[in-house]
């Protein structure tokens, strides 16, 4: 009979603690800031570890300990974490075009010193400035030594090469 009473009391206390944890999980889920939300979940995990340790200690004892029972019944209240300070400059510059990008080169134009066709049909092109560029893909392209090529920035950090005066371009990557 005594064990039955202990089991019933511990079930009631853990269900109360479970309801409190679910409420705090719902609170953490409403926090918009990622870092603050993560911190809220971390605090909740620490609190639930404390509750689990208390529950096992209560079940191990033959008579319930009032101090442990009170700890188990009241899960520590989680306060929303303080927002981390964000630099005002970073906030002001968010989404604005970078100043360095305005001065960066958008394209280069050099004569070809060497153009070698690879085994799979792609070209490896050496420019007069010493840069070596390799064709990515299998598009049809023709370039000869002495022709001037234009290499320009494309989407997602890629580069396009075309012979000066033509519209046919290929995607390339820099080797050297």
């Amino acid at each position: 009979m005594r064990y039955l009473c202990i089991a019933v009391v511990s079930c009631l206390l853990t269900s109360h603690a479970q309801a409190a944890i679910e409420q705090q999980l719902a609170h953490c889920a409403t926090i918009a800031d990622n870092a603050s939300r993560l911190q809220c979940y971390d605090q909740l995990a620490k609190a639930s570890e404390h509750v689990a340790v208390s529950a096992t200690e209560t079940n191990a004892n033959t008579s319930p300990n009032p101090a442990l029972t009170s700890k188990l019944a009241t899960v520590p209240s989680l306060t929303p974490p303080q927002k981390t300070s964000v630099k005002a400059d970073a906030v002001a510059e968010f989404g604005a075009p970078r100043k360095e990008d305005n001065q960066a080169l958008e394209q280069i134009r050099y004569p070809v010193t060497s153009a070698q066709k690879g085994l799979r049909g792609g070209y490896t092109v050496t420019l007069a400035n010493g840069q070596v560029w390799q064709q990515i893909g299998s598009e049809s392209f023709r370039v000869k030594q002495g022709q001037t090529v234009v290499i320009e920035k494309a989407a997602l950090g890629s580069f396009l090469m075309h012979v000066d005066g033509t519209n046919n371009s290929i995607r390339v990557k820099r080797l050297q």
Side-chain angles (χ1 to χ4, degrees):
M1 183 69 178
R2 189 169 75 181
Y3 291 115
L4 180 64
C5 289
I6 291 172
V8 169
V9 169
S10 65
C11 287
L12 290 174
L13 292 176
T14 55
S15 67
H16 176 65
Q18 183 68 27
I21 289 174
E22 288 175 1
Q23 288 175 348
Q24 291 175 348
L25 276 172
H27 168 72
C28 290
T30 61
I31 298 174
D33 182 40
N34 291 340
S36 300
R37 186 173 52 251
L38 179 62
Q39 187 176 9
C40 180
Y41 283 130
D42 287 344
Q43 289 176 352
L44 185 59
K46 286 180 185 177
S48 64
E49 284 176 4
H50 178 68
V51 169
V53 169
S54 298
T56 57
E57 289 174 3
T58 301
N59 291 337
N61 293 335
T62 55
S63 62
N65 183 347
L68 291 177
T69 305
S70 66
K71 286 182 183 177
L72 185 60
T74 59
V75 177
S77 174
L78 295 177
T79 58
Q82 300 296 326
K83 290 188 176 181
T84 57
S85 62
V86 179
K87 294 180 182 176
D89 294 337
V91 173
E93 293 177 10
F94 181 76
R98 290 184 179 178
K99 294 177 184 175
E100 300 130 14
D101 287 348
N102 295 339
Q103 297 173 357
L105 291 173
E106 293 297 319
Q107 68 178 10
I108 60 171
R109 181 181 314 245
Y110 281 101
V112 174
T113 58
S114 169
Q116 299 174 345
K117 196 165 189 173
L119 297 175
R120 297 185 181 181
Y123 277 96
T124 301
V125 178
T126 305
L127 303 180
N129 65 354
Q131 293 180 354
V132 179
W133 294 82
Q134 183 179 29
Q135 179 180 358
I136 300 172
S138 59
E139 297 89 4
S140 176
F141 186 74
R142 292 186 183 171
V143 64
K144 296 179 182 176
Q145 183 177 355
Q147 289 181 317
T148 301
V149 294
V150 178
I151 300 175
E152 56 192 4
K153 289 185 181 180
L156 302 174
S158 62
F159 296 92
L160 293 174
M161 173 191 289
H162 67 272
V163 176
D164 200 17
T166 65
N167 291 331
N168 188 14
S169 64
I170 58 170
R171 197 164 303 276
V172 293
K173 70 177 181 179
R174 185 172 174 182
L175 298 179
Q176 289 181 348

